Amino acid sequence: MTSTPEQGRPSGEPPESLADLLGGRRGAVDATVPPVAFAIGWLAAGLWGGVVAAVLAGTAVAGWRWRRGDRPRSVLIGLLAVCVAALVALRTGRATDFFLLQLVSNAASALAWMVSIVVRWPLLGVLVGVALGQRGRWRRDPALLRAYGRGSWVWAATYLLRLAVFVPLWLGGQVVALVVARVALTWPLVAAALAVSWLVIRRSLPADHPGLRHPVTPSDADAAAAN
């Protein structure tokens, strides 16, 4: 499920894959390196040690991504998230609250994915449509709309799974276990969701459907019937 160049994308700018849009390997680096650094610093020197280690790691990751040519906004958002998480932990004095922003983010994401399905604007379709330069044309294909809705439940489930794991650990004050869970439920879970959602979409489409790149709108179906 690799994207074609998006309509309106500046020339020379690399296209994003679906994995990038939904939290790919670079996003996994943002999500795992600072928390690991936080845990190491916390074990070695307490809360302040963890905060300093996390911010330094986040800054290093931001610099690495900047040199690789990532979009400035994406780089800054990743660093800002680390800084906010650090400030929350310092404000409450609880090391586990470094992960509170992650809990809130996963809860909001789960809600957003589920609401998108209910209102018939499944986020998986929105993201794939943007990646393929289709805008909203995919919504006029009933088969694609249904398939994207089913596939979106896979992504909603990933956020619910993270919450089911993270919340008890957060309530129990398990800092190291939270780091391990965050690493395990970042890119590996995203990779699994990509594979499963793609399988769900393929099995949901009729056998004669031309695929994601070619939405079948009512006008297309009428023209095919006329021929």
Side-chain angles (χ1 to χ4, degrees), residues 31 77 81 84-85 98-113 123 155-156 158-160 162-163 166-167 182:
I77 287 175
V84 171
F98 180 82
F99 303 90
L100 186 57
L101 182 63
Q102 180 75 6
L103 297 182
V104 173
S105 173
N106 277 280
S109 296
L111 181 62
W113 280 86
L123 282 176
W155 289 92
T158 65
Y159 295 106
L160 293 173
R162 289 191 184 111
L163 287 172
F166 292 159
V167 170
R182 185 160 177 178

Side-chain angles (χ1 to χ4, degrees), residues 152-218:
S152 291
W153 280 114
V154 175
W155 289 92
T158 65
Y159 295 106
L160 293 173
L161 173 61
R162 289 191 184 111
L163 287 172
V165 174
F166 292 159
V167 170
L169 295 176
W170 175 71
L171 292 174
Q174 301 296 316
V175 175
V176 176
L178 276 166
V179 173
V180 173
R182 185 160 177 178
V183 172
L185 297 179
T186 302
W187 175 246
L189 185 59
V190 170
L194 282 166
V196 174
S197 60
W198 174 230
L199 180 62
V200 168
I201 288 174
R202 291 193 62 179
R203 291 190 173 182
S204 298
L205 291 175
D208 59 348
H209 194 279
L212 305 185
R213 298 177 185 275
H214 307 286
V216 180
T217 63

Side-chain angles (χ1 to χ4, degrees), residues 123-166:
L123 282 176
L124 189 57
V126 173
L127 292 171
V128 176
V130 168
L132 298 181
Q134 296 171 345
R135 301 184 185 277
R137 188 165 178 262
W138 57 272
R139 287 196 75 245
R140 299 197 293 273
D141 183 337
L144 266 184
L145 180 60
R146 180 174 61 252
Y148 283 137
R150 293 174 179 174
S152 291
W153 280 114
V154 175
W155 289 92
T158 65
Y159 295 106
L160 293 173
L161 173 61
R162 289 191 184 111
L163 287 172
V165 174
F166 292 159

